[in-house]
Amino acid sequence: NFIDGVNGVASGLGAFTLFIFSILIGENVLYGLKEFLVLMSCITLAFSIINLFSGKIFLGDAGAYFLGCLIGWSGVLIATKNPNVSPWAIFLIIIYPATEITVSVFRRIFRKTSPIIADNLHLHSLLYQFLSKNININSKLINSITGVIILVVGILPGIYCIKINGLFPNTLKACIFFFLV
């Protein structure tokens, strides 16, 4: 729910994460989960494309929490049942939302505001504000452009995770690098 602020980000990142998880599962491990994750990824991707280009449908709290729960449950299951996948690989794949929530909580504590009260200082909000001030186009289009940019930022760690086969210690090093960036 933390990253569900502009068109396509939460659902697009959710679809991508589920698909990457299905790749990490490998063969002969967790029968049925791989197919389920691919199916959920395709459904979520279709939703994301409609949301990204029209902005007329939304995940809402229930959709965002469902995706978050599915991703969390799947990630824990994959990390515990597949010895070839480091738990750090799961964290690397979800590093963007994890970083967003960590930075937001510390920022709010530092500013002496409540960590649970929403603000407009998330990366997607700041990028949207920047683009709105510097590009003279329709705000709906800026919302979608912001979504695409953030989505690219959010999927890069997952792509790298697949490249390094989700193996420790490379995933830990990558987590530190992407968190700091």
Side-chain angles (χ1 to χ4, degrees), residues 8-96:
V9 173
S11 55
L13 196 56
F16 176 78
T17 300
L18 294 172
F19 183 71
I20 293 296
F21 280 1
S22 73
I23 293 170
L24 280 181
I25 287 174
E27 299 299 324
N28 302 322
V29 179
L30 301 171
Y31 298 107
L33 182 62
K34 182 175 192 160
E35 292 79 10
F36 176 71
L37 292 178
V38 169
L39 176 65
M40 291 305 297
S41 176
C42 291
I43 292 168
T44 308
L45 180 62
F47 174 90
S48 180
I49 291 168
I50 294 169
N51 176 253
L52 183 63
F53 292 110
S54 74
K56 293 185 179 185
I57 59 173
F58 305 97
L59 276 178
D61 287 345
Y65 293 143
F66 171 75
L67 267 178
C69 183
L70 179 60
I71 289 167
W73 169 80
S74 300
V76 168
L77 196 58
I78 292 166
T80 57
K81 300 290 185 186
N82 190 343
N84 296 327
V85 176
S86 166
W88 288 103
I90 304 302
F91 186 67
L92 178 59
I93 295 166
I94 62 163
I95 195 95
Y96 168 66

Side-chain angles (χ1 to χ4, degrees), residues 3 91 94-104 179:
I3 61 169
F91 186 67
I94 62 163
I95 195 95
Y96 168 66
T99 302
E100 183 70 56
I101 195 166
T102 304
V103 169
S104 293
F179 187 80

Side-chain angles (χ1 to χ4, degrees), residues 86-157:
S86 166
W88 288 103
I90 304 302
F91 186 67
L92 178 59
I93 295 166
I94 62 163
I95 195 95
Y96 168 66
T99 302
E100 183 70 56
I101 195 166
T102 304
V103 169
S104 293
V105 167
F106 280 112
R107 178 187 66 241
R108 292 171 186 170
I109 290 171
F110 181 73
R111 291 179 172 207
K112 296 184 169 102
T113 60
S114 173
I116 59 173
I117 305 252
D119 61 24
N120 286 332
L121 298 174
H122 299 288
L123 182 59
H124 62 268
S125 301
L126 296 173
L127 181 60
Y128 177 81
Q129 292 167 13
F130 175 80
L131 292 175
S132 293
K133 290 177 185 174
N134 294 302
I135 299 176
N136 191 19
I137 56 175
N138 181 319
S139 64
K140 283 187 177 183
L141 185 56
I142 290 176
N143 190 308
S144 295
I145 292 169
T146 303
V148 169
I149 293 169
I150 296 295
L151 195 54
V152 168
V153 168
I155 67 173
L156 287 176

